Amino acid sequence: MSDILVSEQSAPGADGSGRPSGRLLEVDDLRVEFRTRDGVAKVINGVTYHVDAGETLAVLGESGSGKSVTAQTIMGILDTPPGFVTGGQVRFHGKDMLTMSPEQRRRIRGEGIAMIFQDSLSALNPVFTVGFQIAEQFRIRRGMSRSDAKKRAIEMLDQVKIPNAKGRFSNYPHQFSGGMRQRAMIAMSLALDPEVLIADEPTTALDVTVQAQIMDLLGELQRERQMGMILITHDLGVVADVADRIAVMYAGRIVEEADVYDLYRKPAHPYTLGLLNSIPRMDEKGQELRTIKGLPPNLMNIPPGCAFNPRCPMAQPVCREKVPPLLQLGNGRASACHFAEELVNRD
Amino acid sequence: MTENIIEVRDLVKHYPVTRGVVFKKTIGHVKAVDGVSFDLKAGETLGVVGESGCGKSTLARVLMNLEKPTGGQVLYKGQDISKLSGGALRRLRRQIQLVMQDPYTSLNPRMTVGDLIGEPFEIHPEVAPRGSRRTKVKELLDLVGLNPEHINRYPHQFSGGQRQRIGIARALALRPEVIVCDEPVSALDVSIQAQVMNLLEKLQGEFGLSYVFIAHDLSVVRHLSDRVAVMYLGKMVEIGTEDEIYERPTHPYTQALLSAVPVPDPTVRESKAIIRLQGDVPSPVSPPSGCRFRTRCWKAQDVCAQEVPLLQIRPGSDHPSACHFAEKREIVVTHDAA
Ligand SMILES: Nc1ncnc2c1ncn2[C@@H]1O[C@H](COP(=O)(O)OP(=O)(O)OP(=O)(O)O)[C@@H](O)[C@H]1O
Ligand SMILES: Nc1ncnc2c1ncn2[C@@H]1O[C@H](COP(=O)(O)OP(=O)(O)O)[C@@H](O)[C@H]1O
Ligand code: SF4
Ligand code: SF4
Ligand SMILES: [Mg+2]
Ligand SMILES: [Mg+2]
């Protein structure tokens, strides 16, 4: 896959130096809006993140913060209209996918970047057997014969630890349990050996014991294949278990980016701090939870200045006037808060 | 001694599985709840946890008297609720209320918030005479942290967390003694979930409510519950105070469940020992003989296939557990980062 792309002229890196950044996948100042009858919702307002081979970036945020829309834009499956990309780039091996030909994009999908979804039941086609759906990819994209494709599909099912893979090949999706369907979807997305895997809330619909199995499996496959993984989730527990780095989203922006240990030890954005305080902790039984007051903003009417200011306990007058840029704080940390330095330097 | 407000005795709820369209033939039964006993004390919160399909919602529906049990009893202050009728049944319906999971579908979209919250008064006019209803509804809105001015709005004009508050206001309207909460915060985001949990605690203090709090999120349950019951495949496998269940669980299933809870602290990654359960939950139509957990249990012995382990206190433990080999085991569930 990568040789096709690298053989062409690489786009300039994010630092504007004109050199390729050497990054696997980069989202750079992405902007997306939905134009609906009720108005224009500014859903993605300058998202910047990247993932390299072998690492797991967790994108953490509450519902509606734009995690999935960013992923859909990367995959080229944004619902257009009403969704429109109004700015930014999505670079795969340094090359902007948003300006590629549809043919080039199609090639990247599946082989370069693959995605798994929260809802495995609607992501798998109910009228075809699970095995057939995986084998099709080998036939269409790799030109394999029927019997070779079947063999490879069974291998894939086996790799995601579906017991009796051979026998299960001809089952339909509804004959699988939720956990097994999620495994089948993982098998399908990894069939073409992608370099990047985007997992959008892959375990949100599952029970904790099954969630643990699936997260184990994803971690194992990612290490084996040295994939870059973007794990989209709202679960602060799952993130702490598996992420290398975390990007926190709020109202269509990354408000904080940090190494997983730094983020939990000392958040550099009041929203992250609020989230960590909101989770019920086993060791603070009986105490009132410290909540974030209010609600996320209406994306058709985002407050001026810092989008978080109406809910922020630290807000100052400047927060209503100036949008805080996502500032680098060193050590791969970044925060979009006017008072980030103070937050990191507190004891 | 605090009195028991609800007593559940050997409760069974089976649903027939049928085949055929014209001549329906019963070919088996889903054993959704299969012999469950527990007490709910006045003013306490009993948490009920367990994985999808283990019978939590079925239990809630039977407790609410929305469905008749196949066997066993639910006693409300000593009276069998399935035997009540007329005035006694109406009084019971006032005293036990339900808050459901889905704030999107549990409210009628064509009714205003005022009508939704005031609806219970139509059925029980003795609680609020017609003239005072709007005032009562506004008081309720205020109580659950909503703007009383929004009394004429429709559910779609509210966020998920706000709709859950509407559901709670509605449940509170008749001043019940017991509220059964079936996954009341599961559909909510972390920051909103915390707001609703605080609200439930505040209301309990204010009105002396008893809660049956059903959820699959074990941290949420621990935060709110005085006692916790763990269910597996229609049975209760362990019950105790939140400390007994979270610090000293003795049933292998409880231990596995707790060990799988992701801990929001990256520094315990390495030290955490997750018990990996094999396979899936068996079908509730034909559960395994003896102990229902035996097909996934790493401690299973021959006796587990033959004898159903009773939910009882065993030597070396301080609370009831339904395992022939109940014993303590260390698990990292907590974290003390600050
Ligand atoms: N009306 C019904 N007819 C047939 N089977 C039913 C009925 N209601 C529930 N069941 C079955 O009974 C079992 C228990 O269901 P229940 O809804 O109580 O589970 P639950 O613990 O609430 O699960 P969840 O966590 O997914 O809400 C399941 O196997 C379910 O499919
Ligand atoms: N097809 C669509 N049409 C209109 N609005 C949409 C569409 N898809 C997503 N949105 C809106 O975009 C915002 C971000 O959505 P999403 O990325 O799905 O959030 P999440 O962070 O929960 O994944 C939300 O306000 C959502 O309502
Ligand atoms: S910029 Fe101001 S309002 Fe925004 S997070 Fe920082 S302190 Fe709060
Ligand atoms: S009774 Fe046997 S199978 Fe059941 S939990 Fe105990 S050891 Fe495991
Ligand atoms: Mg999403
Ligand atoms: Mg349920």
Side-chain angles (χ1 to χ4, degrees), chain A residues 261-280:
Chain A
Y261 295 98
D262 292 339
L263 187 115
Y264 280 80
R265 192 170 48 235
K266 206 178 236 188
H269 194 282
Y271 175 63
T272 317
L273 184 64
L275 276 185
L276 288 171
N277 284 340
S278 303
I279 35 177

Side-chain angles (χ1 to χ4, degrees), chain A residues 133-151:
Chain A
Q133 294 183 55
I134 298 170
E136 269 304 271
Q137 302 203 58
F138 292 115
R139 300 222 302 153
I140 295 171
R141 303 286 289 266
R142 293 276 193 260
M144 285 187 189
S145 71
R146 243 189 135 78
S147 64
D148 284 351
K150 178 169 179 182
K151 225 187 317 172

Side-chain angles (χ1 to χ4, degrees), chain B residues 238 243-252 254-255 258 319 321 327-329 331:
Chain B
E238 188 163 2
D243 243 25
E244 285 163 352
I245 298 297
Y246 286 81
E247 302 292 339
R248 304 184 290 282
T250 64
H251 196 285
T254 312
Q255 292 167 348
L258 284 176
H319 62 278
S321 174
E327 62 180 349
K328 271 193 283 184
R329 178 190 170 111
I331 298 172

Side-chain angles (χ1 to χ4, degrees), chain A residues 207, chain B residues 15-16 30-33 50-59 61 67 101 182-183 214 216 284:
Chain A
D207 283 320
Chain B
Y15 297 102
V30 179
K31 304 182 172 79
V33 171
E51 296 181 280
S52 185
C54 70
K56 305 182 297 291
S57 298
T58 305
L59 176 65
R61 285 194 300 273
E67 289 183 1
Q101 164 169 6
D182 189 2
E183 307 265 9
I214 297 171
H216 64 271

Side-chain angles (χ1 to χ4, degrees), chain A residues 66-119:
Chain A
K67 307 180 293 297
S68 298
V69 169
T70 307
Q72 286 158 11
T73 311
I74 296 173
M75 290 303 288
I77 53 172
L78 181 69
D79 194 11
T80 311
F84 294 91
V85 177
T86 57
Q89 294 192 330
V90 176
R91 291 188 294 270
F92 184 59
H93 287 292
K95 205 161 178 304
D96 184 14
M97 293 166 58
L98 300 179
T99 53
M100 277 178 189
S101 70
E103 175 52 31
Q104 279 174 309
R105 287 210 79 164
R106 247 197 309 280
R107 238 180 308 160
I108 295 179
R109 215 176 296 146
E111 293 178 47
I113 311 172
M115 183 160 166
I116 57 180
F117 302 87
Q118 166 173 353
D119 183 2

Side-chain angles (χ1 to χ4, degrees), chain B residues 250-253 290-301 303-305 307 309 322-326:
Chain B
T250 64
H251 196 285
Y253 177 64
C291 173
R292 294 187 176 193
F293 185 57
R294 73 176 162 83
T295 53
R296 302 171 80 197
C297 182
W298 64 97
K299 284 167 71 180
Q301 305 286 324
V303 60
C304 305
E307 281 173 39
C323 169
H324 295 305
F325 307 103

